[in-house]
């Protein structure tokens, strides 16, 4: 059974940083797409960043470009989301997702096979 476990969330002031981690169990990070999503109260879930383990290509939502960095550590079988210069609008539940296959889904598609339970990020002004 595949499980994705996120950690690293918390409460920070605007301008602060957090690093989220996602550790899959029963699943190895090879030839798959790993994504980070977030959902704020009353809003739809949106994709924040993704990385394809096959070649390391990445994608970032416009509002996080230059501030967030997604990375893989294959030795630790872990996906990270480094979040710097956090803003109150970054507040939300952050989810890790995984999809096996030769490529990532189209931008805007949330067709990932596996999802974590989420970790809360709260940014105060």
């Amino acid at each position: 059974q595949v499980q994705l476990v996120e950690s690293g969330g918390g409460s920070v002031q605007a301008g602060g940083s957090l690093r989220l981690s996602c550790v899959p169990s029963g699943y190895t990070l090879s030839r798959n797409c790993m994504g980070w999503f977030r959902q704020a109260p009353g809003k739809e879930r949106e994709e924040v960043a993704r990385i394809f383990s096959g070649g390391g290509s990445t994608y970032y939502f416009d509002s996080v470009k230059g501030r967030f960095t997604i990375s893989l550590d294959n030795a630790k079988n872990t996906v990270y989301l480094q979040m710097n210069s956090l803003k109150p609008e970054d507040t939300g539940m952050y989810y890790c997702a995984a999809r096996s296959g030769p490529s990532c889904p189209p931008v805007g598609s949330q067709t990932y096979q596996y999802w974590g339970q989420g970790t809360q990020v709260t940014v105060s002004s």
Side-chain angles (χ1 to χ4, degrees):
Q1 182 179 359
V2 175
Q3 288 186 323
L4 305 179
V5 180
E6 304 98 331
S7 62
S11 297
V12 297
Q13 289 191 327
S17 298
L18 286 172
R19 188 176 78 159
L20 306 184
S21 300
C22 172
V23 182
S25 62
Y27 190 83
T28 56
L29 301 180
S30 60
R31 297 295 293 179
N32 59 34
C33 189
M34 301 298 298
W36 283 99
F37 292 76
R38 69 185 179 192
Q39 186 167 23
K43 294 188 176 181
E44 293 186 352
R45 187 171 60 192
E46 62 185 11
E47 184 170 14
V48 174
R50 62 170 62 177
I51 185 166
F52 182 62
S53 64
S57 60
T58 59
Y59 160 83
Y60 296 95
F61 191 55
D62 285 347
S63 67
V64 307
K65 284 181 181 177
R67 300 188 297 122
F68 290 13
T69 303
I70 188 170
S71 61
L72 290 171
D73 186 330
N74 288 310
K76 296 182 178 180
N77 204 44
T78 301
V79 181
Y80 300 101
L81 184 68
Q82 177 67 45
M83 306 187 296
N84 299 327
S85 302
L86 283 162
K87 303 175 181 180
E89 51 264 41
D90 294 319
T91 294
M93 186 70 79
Y94 281 68
Y95 299 91
C96 175
R99 164 174 156 149
S100 297
S103 63
C104 285
V107 172
S109 170
Q110 300 191 12
T111 54
Y112 286 76
Q113 294 168 290
Y114 308 107
W115 293 84
Q117 293 299 308
T119 184
Q120 178 68 36
V121 171
T122 302
V123 185
S124 58
S125 57

